[in-house]
Amino acid sequence: MMRLQLPRLMSPFLPAPEIIGHSGSTGSFAFYSPPYETYVVGTVNQMSGIPFEYVYRYLNAFAR
């Protein structure tokens, strides 16, 4: 398990709420965002994919 909370300075245009979960080495991920009470689970189907951008993009889309 990992906990990630980016400072506002690192994400000035989009809010980056706290997420708790894990991303696998093959592009799979499962995270929970306590501020939004939302789970985001999926896969990018490639080892070079970094899911954090996708997780924050989906959280921001649902928060509107």
Side-chain angles (χ1 to χ4, degrees):
M1 296 291 286
M2 63 177 106
R3 177 180 170 262
L4 179 65
Q5 180 144 17
L6 295 175
R8 187 67 181 176
L9 183 62
M10 292 185 70
S11 182
F13 302 110
L14 292 175
E18 174 187 21
I19 56 174
I20 301 169
H22 187 67
S23 62
S25 62
T26 59
S28 59
F29 58 91
F31 287 100
Y32 172 68
S33 176
Y36 294 144
E37 297 181 350
T38 303
Y39 292 90
V40 181
V41 180
T43 182
V44 292
N45 290 330
Q46 50 187 305
M47 291 180 65
S48 63
I50 299 175
F52 299 109
E53 177 184 347
Y54 300 116
V55 171
Y56 283 123
R57 186 180 303 168
Y58 293 133
L59 287 174
N60 286 320
F62 291 121
R64 294 181 186 162

